[in-house]
Amino acid sequence: MVSFLRTLRSAYRVGIKEWWRQLQYIGDAKSGKFMGKDQFGNRYFENLNPTEELPGRHRWVDYAQHYYNATQVPAEWHAWLSHIRKEPPLEDRVMQNLSPPWKGRWVENLTGTRGAYRSYNTTRPKYEAWEPKVAARGGPSS
């Protein structure tokens, strides 16, 4: 449970508008140092004050789209959020040199949306649907 004093302190630090937005979207009032922004517009924060944040919850992401999906976080930032990397990708030389220039942009998982991958099958199906053949009826003979 978040203390009332911490909530007021956060409102003072981030401003009333941002504080209200945080309460609406993440259900918590957090304030911390801005660490960077990714290509999707997600913002990443860190608060190292041990009296304000629980251990392991002092790094967080503020999603640009409020459809919370973990695939919206690129691998470089995921490594930082999960404490695999100490420095954020913008400051970490290893992470900057790790990504080759020919590598494409990170694309989130689009399963269940219109942009989902659909394979194209070129093989003939084993079974074909039966289509009845209708013969013309003979009319009355004269």
Side-chain angles (χ1 to χ4, degrees):
M1 181 86 189
V2 179
S3 70
F4 182 68
L5 185 62
R6 178 179 169 258
T7 304
L8 289 178
R9 199 175 324 139
S10 180
Y12 176 74
R13 288 181 186 160
V14 298
I16 297 296
K17 185 177 179 183
E18 177 66 19
W19 173 78
W20 182 253
R21 193 187 68 72
Q22 284 181 1
L23 287 177
Q24 295 301 312
Y25 287 115
I26 63 175
D28 192 8
K30 290 183 165 235
S31 61
K33 181 181 173 191
F34 176 71
M35 300 306 283
K37 191 174 184 178
D38 67 9
Q39 67 211 25
F40 295 122
N42 299 330
R43 300 179 308 161
Y44 299 90
F45 296 93
E46 182 176 38
N47 187 354
L48 295 176
N49 188 349
T51 60
E52 290 185 12
E53 298 296 332
L54 294 172
R57 293 189 180 185
H58 60 276
R59 292 180 180 174
W60 69 93
V61 59
D62 182 16
Y63 292 102
Q65 300 174 4
H66 293 288
Y67 169 67
Y68 301 117
N69 187 352
T71 63
Q72 293 175 345
V73 177
E76 299 88 19
W77 283 103
H78 180 269
W80 179 75
L81 284 170
S82 303
H83 300 281
I84 296 169
R85 307 293 307 174
K86 183 177 180 181
E87 301 295 325
L90 302 176
E91 298 173 8
D92 194 354
R93 290 188 330 187
V94 174
M95 291 300 281
Q96 290 173 353
N97 295 332
L98 186 65
S99 183
W102 48 264
K103 181 180 167 189
R105 284 187 55 190
W106 175 263
V107 179
E108 64 179 303
N109 185 355
L110 300 173
T111 301
T113 65
R114 296 181 100 186
Y117 174 76
R118 288 181 183 82
S119 61
Y120 177 72
N121 194 355
T122 58
T123 60
R124 245 180 104 210
K126 283 186 175 182
Y127 304 102
E128 293 184 16
W130 175 70
E131 298 206 17
K133 294 184 175 144
V134 180
R137 291 187 175 182
S141 56
S142 351

